[in-house]
Amino acid sequence: MRINHPLTGSMVALITPMFDNGLVDFDALEALVEFHVESGTKAIITMGTTGESATLNQQEHIEVMKKTIEFADNRITIIAGTGANSTSEAIELTQAAKDMGADACLLVTPYYNKPTQEGLYQHYKLIAETVDIDQILYNVPGRTAVDLSVETAVRLSTIKNIIGIKDATGDLAVAQALIDQCPEDFLLYSGDDATAIEFILMGGHGGISVTANVAPKALSEAYEAAFNDDRTNAELINQPLINLHQNLFIESNPIPVKWALHKMGKCGSGIRLPLTKLSQQAQVTLEQDLSNLKVI
């Protein structure tokens, strides 16, 4: 039996809008927050990996989190991305997020250094014990080169302020194992847009989505239908988004989604190296999707 929790449904992995010179555009950020408040998005993830956390320095990272919380003004849940491949840095970012009033934190597995499962357990355990704020695990092995096993996630799920996991493997067998083995009150989120509806219908609580940047209202309605076990309507609402789910990853995220939002007039075209702007060939494909959805 799925629990009814405030943190269910569609949550956006928000981009960080930038000017052409790569500086953060805080006016555009404020407008994006309003867009999601008005569109029914349940929560904003600020400074996740879609927010280019890997290319902002720590001062910028904290400033973007702070401004997003201010712009939200308690009208929408704010989850701060505070993961790092250094445990001490993750603790510093998580403490900063707590101090400025974030509702929860999302912590990606430590990337590049490929810790053991015991290392992952100790990493997350220490952060949770050090900073008293709700924390969500984030497993995306395709980007981090380390896979948080179901067994380790289950171990961590017993720690009081570790409240859930974002699983971006796209593997529904992993989703089923998490559903079967984690405590009933442990929140399970899809981090893979292409399989998110099925994940929620299986028993998940929602999704942390890239597509929600572009089509927040539709995705919010689709996820709500899925959460309420209404497969027919969930699939009907999701059907026009299927190509977008795929093509927002036609090049490395967040390259396509930032270009899409720029095309929609939501932000400038800025992105930071080593990420580059979307190729002309990919633009043609994505522009067709946006046109079909009538967002441009």
Side-chain angles (χ1 to χ4, degrees), residues 218-276:
L219 208 65
S220 181
E221 291 169 356
Y223 283 10
E224 184 175 359
F227 185 77
N228 291 319
D229 300 315
D230 184 353
R231 177 180 290 275
T232 300
N233 275 325
E235 292 180 345
L236 187 68
I237 299 165
N238 188 57
Q239 181 62 39
L241 302 175
I242 287 174
N243 282 346
L244 189 64
H245 294 330
Q246 297 290 346
N247 291 332
L248 284 177
F249 296 89
I250 199 168
E251 291 180 7
S252 296
N253 180 51
I255 292 171
V257 70
K258 292 198 86 173
W259 182 86
L261 286 169
H262 171 60
K263 192 72 178 175
M264 291 166 64
K266 300 288 185 186
C267 63
S269 61
I271 194 163
R272 287 196 181 178
L273 288 170
L275 299 178
T276 52

Side-chain angles (χ1 to χ4, degrees), residues 47-57 60-61 83 89 111 143 272-275:
M47 278 287 90
T49 46
T50 301
E52 293 177 79
S53 55
T55 60
L56 273 68
N57 64 39
E60 291 173 316
H61 190 126
E89 182 181 355
Y111 44 88
R143 296 293 290 255
R272 287 196 181 178
L273 288 170
L275 299 178

Side-chain angles (χ1 to χ4, degrees), residues 130 185 197 266:
T130 305
D185 61 351
I197 292 294
K266 300 288 185 186

